[in-house]
Amino acid sequence: MSSYDVTIIGSGPGGYVAAIRCSQLGLKTAIIEKYDTLGGTCLNVGCIPSKALLDSSEHYHNAVNNFEEHGIETKSVKANITQMIKRKNDVVSQTCAGVKFLMDKNKIDVYNGLGSFIDKNTVKVQHKDGTDTSLTSKNIIIATGSKPNFFPGMEPDKKRIITSTEALNLSEIPKKMLVIGGGVIGLELGSVYGRLGTQIEVVEFASTILPTMDSSLGKELTRALKKEGFKFNLEHRVQRVENKGKSVVLTALNKKGEEVTFEGDYCLVAVGRKAFTEGLNLEAAGISANSRGQIEVNDHLQTSATNIYAIGDVVRGTMLAHKAEEEGVYVAEIIGGQKPHINYNLIPGVVYTWPEVAAVGKTEEELKAAGVEYKVGSFPIKALGRARASMDTAGLIKVLADKITDEVLGVHMIAPRAADLIMEAVVAMEYRASAEDIARICHPHPTYSEAIKEAALDATEARALHV
Ligand code: FAD
Ligand code: NAD
């Protein structure tokens, strides 16, 4: 039986990053993954493949809609979904191979198979060929991630009623796709197919899309996506979805309580994800999952068994790859005897639509609920020279600052390249900058980052320069 200082179950961004940091700290480390490739949801069926398809569809959309205005003439532009999926698969394979390379480079032992507890120091790996291996370990990190969620009546059949996993592998461009859930997955994968010509019809339970983000973002994104042809049905309670062979029919109750039906050729179910612990045999280690299926952890991400930790989507908090990575490093350093820290308030969130949406810190709704007095500064993207030059004029940047101290409490943006722009706000907030600190920093011209400076100037003393 092989023995380790640390054994990690699950090789997503939480697990594989934890493994690398453990190895850097001189800990003998093993990682177990039930699938053939490493990288988890993020690399195989999440962040990376969705962004690959978002990029391909964005090129197509620009070629069809914007090239002519830029003075670029093309004969005929055609979307080849087979090639798009193939390129996406190549990107995924290369990225997963990169993780295997990192495991080898860091001398981390990789075991392919289902990991399950024998006791709190022993994990059995059940291999695909029916054999098994037992590992003993001083410490164990559970990083088993999440799976798509659904509610009664909308069970995916994976053919016409699909989850994000199938939506990343369609062999045709749908004519009409119904999307249950106007959250991150619904809007990102809806954008992929919407840009390729699919009619996207979103059915959302809440009164806005992106309901957990600052409400200004959902409003602005609704406008932008409607221009791309999206249809939104808010405050609709889905009753059932039926596969009719070549089509799907969705029945929902609208806000008046009337039954309404929608028909499409596919229905994407995107109503959140749930923590995944199946097959782990947690009881053998003396651990149990809570009513939401998550593993309970304390502030040190330690479970009720003190040598077992849990990180990423399988524990509380946002289900984001970078949050899982931070937790992976955190736990490795705790095991290594260090005193790490995670600032959960400063985990940025990004939605890769176009314009992109990004945010960090508190929303206006959260500040109001907490009774914090705050100032708002905002700046429209259309007022930037950079935006006019690139014909990307939709969006805004909003800076929320404490009314008395001027400390930045939240930054919310819908803008071209917001996914990268948000990091200026994260760095500023980590160092507890005031809005005036940001406003006084020289920003390069012409860039989208000038909108952050202008919004900060507006928050400081309503002294934005270019509106
Ligand atoms: P996972 O990545 O889910 O990895 C868990 C791994 O554990 C899996 O490989 C699984 O096979 C393995 N496993 C489970 N049980 C066992 C077992 N018993 N034995 C062995 N192995 C096991 N987040 C972002 O930050 N940015 C994005 O752009 C983004 N886009 C996304 C797009 C989509 C379509 C989806 C679905 C998700 C996206 N996410 C994104 C979320 C992101 O993928 C997750 O937050 C992240 O992957 C969580 O990492 P994790 O390590 O906790 O778990
Ligand atoms: P989500 O929580 O972002 O959105 C789910 C949406 O479905 C919400 O708007 C919710 O109000 C709605 N909803 C819930 N129940 C419903 C019902 N019965 N009928 C109609 N609407 C309903 O979840 P998601 O989009 O499935 O994404 C899952 C997770 O994956 C998220 O936590 C997200 O953080 C992560 N993810 C992140 C990214 C990114 O960072 N860019 C991309 C994709 C996924």
Side-chain angles (χ1 to χ4, degrees), residues 10 14 33-35 40-41 47 51 115 144-145 313 319-322:
E33 172 53 55
K34 68 176 176 163
Y35 289 129
T41 304
C47 327
K51 269 79 245 181
T144 49
D313 282 10
M319 288 184 165
L320 294 174
H322 41 287

Side-chain angles (χ1 to χ4, degrees), residues 151 154 181 183-185 188 204-205 211 270 272-273 319-320 350 352:
F151 297 106
M154 57 170 89
V184 199
I185 292 182
E188 287 187 0
E204 163 61 54
F205 177 73
R273 293 178 61 86
M319 288 184 165
L320 294 174
V350 175
Y352 294 81

Side-chain angles (χ1 to χ4, degrees), residues 189 207 296-297 395 424:
L189 293 179
S207 58
E296 292 281 349
V297 285
E424 174 177 349

Side-chain angles (χ1 to χ4, degrees), residues 295-316:
I295 297 180
E296 292 281 349
V297 285
N298 65 16
D299 287 349
H300 286 171
L301 295 162
Q302 197 172 30
T303 68
S304 52
T306 51
N307 69 318
I308 303 177
Y309 299 80
I311 59 173
D313 282 10
V314 80
V315 301
R316 80 282 183 275

Side-chain angles (χ1 to χ4, degrees), residues 69-84:
E69 176 78 16
H70 276 283
I72 305 166
E73 290 176 17
T74 48
K75 277 201 188 114
S76 70
V77 182
K78 209 173 147 224
N80 177 344
I81 186 76
T82 310
Q83 171 57 20
M84 282 186 194

Side-chain angles (χ1 to χ4, degrees), residues 41 46-47 50-51 54 146-152 154 164 179-189 202-212 233 236-239 269-274 313 317-322 348-353 357:
T41 304
C47 327
S50 59
K51 269 79 245 181
L54 276 159
S146 62
K147 287 275 177 236
N149 195 17
F150 53 85
F151 297 106
M154 57 170 89
S164 53
V179 177
I180 309 181
V184 199
I185 292 182
L187 300 179
E188 287 187 0
L189 293 179
V202 177
V203 181
E204 163 61 54
F205 177 73
S207 58
T208 169
I209 59 169
L210 299 178
T212 56
N233 305 278
H236 277 61
R237 194 180 288 269
V238 175
Q239 302 295 293
V269 180
V271 293
R273 293 178 61 86
K274 55 176 184 260
D313 282 10
T318 51
M319 288 184 165
L320 294 174
H322 41 287
V350 175
V351 188
Y352 294 81
T353 46
V357 177

